[in-house]
Amino acid sequence: MGLGESILGLLLGASAATTFPPPCVMGDESIMSPKEHGTSHTPVQQNLRWGCDFKTADRICNFNRHYAEHSGYWQNTQFLTQETPPSGDDSSPHEITFYDSNTGTPLFVAPRGRTFENFVKESTAHGWPSFRDEEVIWDNVRCLPNGETVSVDGTHLGHNLPDGKGSRYCINLVSVAGNPKEEEQTR
């Protein structure tokens, strides 16, 4: 199956199994099996970063397999205000770690291999934070055959929607707005 057919299949909801090319790590449906709190063992953290809404996050992360926060939601949070490099300085690396909103496990580090400006530009064009393979922490993230992107702990993150540049992980900000495990434990 070619890239175009894969994208068309994802958009049309095809149930045929798809394998995405490495470094993508495939997972199976057992990751998203019912647990104590939807597909997770715990609800989302109370104090999410960037002013993300708790109820929206809990619904998207734990009680959802297909839907997303609305397009552009991430731009209406404090993300850009808090994370844009000072004075728009894009000359030095400015990597942001994105943590699972349920567990505080690191899932993505971005931007990598591109500037913050390019990360924002691509994310704005698609409506959701958009990550590339080199920005994914593969020990903690899996893609299911239908393109759903999830944490190994059962948090729904978004979907892999490949384009001409390769895999593009279109991720809900509410799913990756958690605090690191250490910080969450001291709150």
Side-chain angles (χ1 to χ4, degrees):
M1 179 183 318
L3 180 61
E5 292 167 313
S6 296
I7 294 170
L8 183 60
L10 289 171
L11 294 175
L12 297 177
S15 60
T18 300
T19 301
F20 297 99
C24 181
V25 178
M26 299 300 295
D28 61 47
E29 282 294 320
S30 66
I31 296 170
M32 300 302 283
S33 64
K35 299 176 186 71
E36 294 89 339
H37 192 79
T39 58
S40 179
H41 292 289
T42 61
V44 298
Q45 299 171 358
Q46 289 291 323
N47 188 19
L48 295 173
R49 297 188 302 166
W50 309 304
C52 287
D53 181 69
F54 173 85
K55 285 184 179 181
T56 301
D58 200 44
R59 180 174 42 82
I60 297 294
C61 292
N62 300 311
F63 299 98
N64 163 62
R65 298 289 306 279
H66 306 288
Y67 301 105
E69 65 200 18
H70 65 80
S71 176
Y73 172 89
W74 71 280
Q75 294 172 284
N76 296 313
T77 68
Q78 298 164 16
F79 177 81
L80 289 171
T81 305
Q82 292 179 5
E83 300 297 346
T84 300
S87 305
D89 177 18
D90 227 6
S91 60
S92 59
H94 177 72
E95 291 186 343
I96 303 158
T97 302
F98 296 82
Y99 298 92
D100 188 314
S101 291
N102 286 319
T103 65
T105 302
L107 302 173
F108 300 92
V109 179
R112 282 198 171 156
R114 57 183 169 166
T115 64
F116 181 79
E117 180 181 357
N118 288 339
F119 171 76
V120 170
K121 183 177 179 181
E122 181 174 47
S123 297
T124 300
H126 296 289
W128 289 268
S130 295
F131 300 91
R132 296 294 176 167
D133 283 326
E134 61 270 18
E135 297 169 326
V136 182
I137 300 174
W138 288 112
D139 287 344
N140 304 325
V141 175
R142 297 291 182 268
C143 273
L144 303 186
N146 67 355
E148 183 180 9
T149 304
V150 301
S151 78
V152 296
D153 295 309
T155 303
H156 171 81
L157 304 175
H159 288 84
N160 181 8
L161 302 172
D163 61 15
K165 297 177 186 174
S167 289
R168 179 176 55 84
Y169 306 92
C170 203
I171 303 299
N172 296 290
L173 186 66
V174 296
S175 299
V176 293
N179 295 287
K181 287 182 180 182
E182 316 78 56
E183 287 183 28
E184 180 61 18
Q185 291 171 358
T186 61
R187 289 179 191 261

